[in-house]
Amino acid sequence: MADKIYGIGRNIIVKKNEEQEAAKKEFIDCFKLLEEHLGDRTCFAGDKLGFVDIALVPFYTWFKAFETFGKFSIESEFPKLIAWTKRCLQKESVSKSLPDQHKVYEFAVDMRKKLGVE
């Protein structure tokens, strides 16, 4: 699933028009499935971080880029996943290991310029 999200997210950032809209729709469909699976649990495996949590939480750092270039709000679309992300970030081992969202966004802006998307 992480590979799929990476590819879809990349397309939200580097594609335009119909291709970008298709990637956004696919992203939303994937995250709806993830939110359904998470349900009301604290983490995907229950009360403690598990493999799925560890594989997915790094995508949080890309959310600003996905939202900006895809023109949608992850928080309004997926409130349970945002709450899950905030719980994960309360763990020092998670918060200290993830890059800053703004630096990742700046990287995405540079990537778009280099690819001629801007």
Side-chain angles (χ1 to χ4, degrees):
M1 179 66 94
D3 288 344
K4 184 173 185 163
I5 294 170
Y6 171 78
I8 297 165
R10 184 182 189 284
N11 285 341
I12 290 172
I13 294 169
V14 302
K15 300 291 182 180
K16 291 182 180 180
N17 305 322
E18 295 85 22
E19 289 178 304
Q20 186 185 51
E21 283 300 312
K24 182 170 103 175
K25 181 188 178 322
E26 194 173 0
F27 180 92
I28 288 171
D29 290 345
C30 283
F31 270 60
K32 280 182 185 176
L33 181 64
L34 287 170
E35 192 165 75
E36 286 173 20
H37 181 71
L38 177 63
D40 293 325
R41 293 188 298 256
T42 303
C43 296
F44 281 91
D47 291 333
K48 295 182 181 178
L49 287 178
F51 180 75
V52 174
D53 302 290
I54 292 167
L56 292 176
V57 76
F59 287 103
Y60 163 76
T61 61
W62 289 91
F63 283 6
K64 179 176 174 53
F66 296 158
E67 289 179 323
T68 302
F69 300 120
K71 297 177 179 77
F72 68 106
S73 169
I74 293 174
E75 186 163 11
S76 66
E77 293 276 345
F78 310 106
K80 289 182 181 182
L81 284 175
I82 292 298
W84 161 80
T85 301
K86 290 177 181 178
R87 286 190 298 274
C88 289
L89 289 171
Q90 289 175 352
K91 296 193 176 290
E92 187 176 347
S93 60
V94 174
S95 62
K96 289 201 172 200
S97 65
L98 296 179
D100 180 81
Q101 268 192 338
H102 299 289
K103 288 182 181 180
V104 173
Y105 172 76
E106 290 170 13
F107 171 78
V109 168
D110 289 342
M111 184 171 58
R112 285 173 59 91
K113 286 178 185 174
K114 287 178 184 173
L115 294 172
V117 178
E118 286 293 309

